Every structure is written in C-alpha cells, then in structure tokens.
Amino acid sequence: MGYLYYGNLPDPIEFPDRLLAHLKVVIATKLRRHESFTMSWRNAAGDEGGRSTVWIEPSIPLRFVFGSAEPEPLHAPTLSELANRASSTAGLTVDLDAVIPFDADAASASSPSAMA
C-alpha cells in the first residue's frame, strides 16, 4: 500500500501502490498545466464517513509514498480513463478496488529475459 499526503491533513490517504502510481501521473500532469480538480473515493470500511473528496490544485502540497521500492508499470488505457475523469465536471472518482491490468508488451519488455 502507498500513501498520498495531502496538504496539512494529519493522516495520509491510503491507496494501493499500483493505483497510486497511475494517480501520481494524472495528478502531476494536471498540476503541471495549472488545472485544478476534485478527487473523490469511497472510504475503506472502518474509516470515518462514507466517502471523501479533496480539491487538488498547485498550491496544495502533495507527497506520494509507495510501499514498494520498484516503480509500478503503467497501463496507458487506465491513465487515459483517469485523465478523462479528472477533466470532467464531476472530477476524478477513484475506485480503490479497481484492478488495473498489466500491459503485456510492457511486462515482456521489462522482464529479465527481454533485457538480456
């Protein structure tokens, strides 16, 4: 699991590493363009409230912390889908349980046998 530290919130927001890697790319791209947006998700069982929303804008500090030292391979269709959601009037709604597929081409290109 990874963590997104948002502004001055006392506790980080927990996301699966694979999802957080994709969110990092989408969020960084939007912020680089000075585009603000909302990001929402359903809270995990046992967390306060049923869902949460944060306002993402360049002036609010963010820090991404990943549980794994190895970078997650990115899935281009998922990046496109998340970017489209972030650009919508509803904002970026994140499904914490979403399964992000692995791109077969990226996986084979990064395998040890492909690098030999």
Side-chain angles (χ1 to χ4, degrees):
M1 289 301 255
Y3 300 95
L4 172 61
Y5 290 85
Y6 175 83
N8 61 359
L9 289 180
D11 298 317
I13 305 161
E14 188 175 55
F15 292 100
D17 269 3
R18 185 147 174 74
L19 175 58
L20 186 60
H22 287 76
L23 291 174
K24 182 188 90 168
V25 170
V26 171
I27 291 170
T29 300
K30 296 283 286 177
L31 294 180
R32 196 171 26 253
R33 296 175 182 160
H34 298 281
E35 297 174 1
S36 302
F37 61 99
T38 60
M39 182 173 73
S40 304
W41 63 93
R42 288 180 187 251
N43 295 339
D47 286 352
E48 182 181 340
R51 64 181 178 188
S52 295
T53 300
V54 293
W55 178 247
I56 306 288
E57 70 169 39
S59 68
I60 299 172
L62 298 173
R63 183 166 59 109
F64 300 86
V65 177
F66 296 90
S68 172
E70 296 300 317
E72 289 283 342
L74 298 175
H75 183 248
T78 299
L79 287 172
S80 294
E81 180 185 339
L82 292 172
N84 288 337
R85 286 190 212 163
S87 296
S88 73
T89 56
L92 175 56
T93 300
V94 178
D95 179 359
L96 298 178
D97 298 320
V99 175
I100 300 172
F102 286 89
D103 185 9
D105 294 333
S108 64
S110 64
S111 71
S113 61
M115 294 181 185

